[in-house]
Every structure is written in C-alpha cells, then in structure tokens.
Amino acid sequence: MLEKNNLSKIRKDVKDCVGKKVILKANKGRKKTTIREGILEEAYPSLFVVKISNDYDSVRRVSYTYSDILTETVEVTICDDEEGKIKIS
C-alpha cells in the first residue's frame, strides 16, 4: 500500500509540472548514464513524455513510466526560475 501511495504522489508531482523545463538523468545500465534537458510535454496515467531538442534542430521525444522514478532508474529535476531546482523522487 505504501508503494501505491508514493507512485500516486510522483504522478501528481509530474502532472503539476507539465510545460516546465526538466533535466533527466537516466540510468542505461552497466554504469552508463545519460543527462538530457527538455520540456515536460505530456503526463498520461501510466507514463510521461519529455520533448528534447538538440543543437542540430531535431526534436526527439522520450517517455518514461512513473515507476522508473520510483525505482530511481530516472531522476527528474524541475528547473523553475522562481524556486530554483526541484528534484522529483
């Protein structure tokens, strides 16, 4: 029951930050991590989508589940100008 409560809190926190700039730190396995910067585009009931732009004018969308945040596979940091940086976990 505790896990479901944490998952619903994570889902609510992500949904409240739709449209804001985020920094994603994703664990790809075997000591490989990627750090990307993008905009939190959509929040669906089971996953969320981040739009990532790079230097070559191409737009890429990546999606992660809320359980990825819960299991610390992905770290999401919200970059808010007023409040500074907020980490969702």
Side-chain angles (χ1 to χ4, degrees), residues 23-37:
I23 298 173
L24 291 173
K25 184 177 179 185
N27 183 5
K28 296 290 185 178
R30 293 208 175 238
K31 298 182 182 179
K32 296 178 186 173
T33 59
T34 59
I35 299 174
R36 296 181 179 148
E37 204 170 292

Side-chain angles (χ1 to χ4, degrees), residues 55-71:
D55 297 334
Y56 303 108
D57 293 332
S58 65
V59 175
R60 186 171 178 200
R61 287 176 175 83
V62 293
S63 62
Y64 296 102
T65 62
Y66 301 109
S67 61
D68 289 336
I69 297 174
L70 185 66
T71 59

Side-chain angles (χ1 to χ4, degrees), residues 3-47:
E3 181 176 327
K4 185 175 180 182
N5 191 12
N6 286 337
L7 199 57
S8 63
K9 182 185 178 308
I10 291 171
R11 186 178 295 126
K12 180 190 171 298
D13 290 344
V14 170
K15 189 176 258 189
D16 291 342
C17 296
V18 169
K20 294 186 181 178
K21 186 177 175 183
V22 296
I23 298 173
L24 291 173
K25 184 177 179 185
N27 183 5
K28 296 290 185 178
R30 293 208 175 238
K31 298 182 182 179
K32 296 178 186 173
T33 59
T34 59
I35 299 174
R36 296 181 179 148
E37 204 170 292
I39 296 175
L40 188 60
E41 194 173 48
E42 290 286 334
Y44 296 105
S46 60
L47 57 93

